[in-house]
Amino acid sequence: MGKRFHRACDISYAAVCAAVMVGAGSAHATTSISSSAYGLYVNLSVAGLNPVLGPLAPAGGMAAPPYDVSNQLASVDETVGLGALGLTTFSEHLGTSLIKSNARSPFPPTPTGSAKNTVDTFSANLDGTTFGIPVTLFDIGARTITSSAKVTSLGAIGSSALEDLTITGTALGGLTIDGSLYAHAAPNTILFDAGGLEIILNEQTPSGDGVTSGGVMVNAIHAIFTDFALGTGLLNGDVIVSHSEAEILGVSAVPEPGTWAMMLLGVAGIGFSARRRARKVHTAAG
């Protein structure tokens, strides 16, 4: 009889453990939330030159207290000179119409944060000119490019959208890529990777340690040059179009109210089971 009594208690205790595990969607006590966005960033290097442009139209903040920050740039029309290599002069031209960025968080009391960027009428050209004859190495354009990032106490999510994207140029072997197939590309879609040029769509990178912090960084388009042959030199660096990121910071896990309720029910069950078994033992002894 004593063995059955202990076994009953063990089963009730196991039920409590199971209840805790089921309800263990434990939340973290949020300490701060940050988010930011920008439209365009260029950082290239070739033959001793290091042209940098941006970040353009940046917006960002950290809560608490709550924030709602916006920034915009009416248009961009910039030519970044990459120097003359041999008989060829190289340059990169960047153009947009309106760039809009927003970052916000209502924390406290709501533990959420978000960022969004939109770039309208985007174009980027990597051109070379020899004896007045132009050569387009790389050309990318889109009607609208958007990125967004959001965090809550439950996790982070990112996304991007590309409207009427087209990519062409001799660096792609004369290939023209119809970006309509990639309007909502899967995270980290590698559109092209050859000859020292890699183009990533909807690039998403997690941030934080996954325990006390978490977040996501999103680049709608990321063009990476790695020893890309440019005349007699090598081009290295990045072109990022439409960037958003958000991160949440927290400390020690705190069980949800539902978890505490299940734990209390389980403990009550142990007490009730123990009293039932005790009465049966007493009756049998009598």
Side-chain angles (χ1 to χ4, degrees), residues 204-282:
Q204 297 193 22
T205 305
S207 61
D209 59 18
V211 179
T212 61
S213 62
V216 64
M217 296 181 287
V218 182
N219 296 317
I221 301 176
H222 189 181
I224 305 169
F225 296 90
T226 305
D227 293 339
F228 178 84
L230 196 64
T232 57
L234 297 175
L235 178 65
N236 289 276
D238 304 87
V239 177
I240 295 173
V241 187
S242 191
H243 171 92
S244 298
E245 64 179 278
E247 187 172 46
I248 187 168
L249 302 177
V251 293
S252 62
V254 179
E256 301 280 5
T259 301
W260 285 116
M262 292 297 287
M263 289 172 66
L264 291 174
L265 285 173
V267 170
I270 288 178
F272 177 73
S273 177
R275 285 195 300 272
R276 262 184 87 185
R277 293 301 183 272
R279 283 199 300 268
K280 286 187 178 181
V281 170
H282 179 74

Side-chain angles (χ1 to χ4, degrees), residues 133-162:
I133 301 174
V135 176
T136 299
L137 300 176
F138 173 64
D139 181 275
I140 182 170
R143 183 191 302 271
T144 304
I145 301 173
T146 302
S147 67
S148 64
K150 183 178 181 179
V151 292
T152 71
S153 58
L154 300 178
I157 186 170
S159 66
S160 67
L162 308 165

Side-chain angles (χ1 to χ4, degrees), residues 3 31 78:
K3 290 183 179 179
T31 58
E78 294 282 345

Side-chain angles (χ1 to χ4, degrees), residues 138-208:
F138 173 64
D139 181 275
I140 182 170
R143 183 191 302 271
T144 304
I145 301 173
T146 302
S147 67
S148 64
K150 183 178 181 179
V151 292
T152 71
S153 58
L154 300 178
I157 186 170
S159 66
S160 67
L162 308 165
E163 183 180 1
D164 295 338
L165 174 70
T166 58
I167 303 176
T168 189
T170 59
L172 279 65
L175 177 68
T176 297
I177 298 176
D178 181 3
S180 62
L181 301 175
Y182 303 95
H184 298 282
N188 302 305
T189 295
I190 299 178
L191 186 65
F192 182 83
D193 187 6
L197 171 61
E198 182 178 13
I199 303 172
I200 306 172
L201 304 182
N202 193 18
E203 182 181 47
Q204 297 193 22
T205 305
S207 61

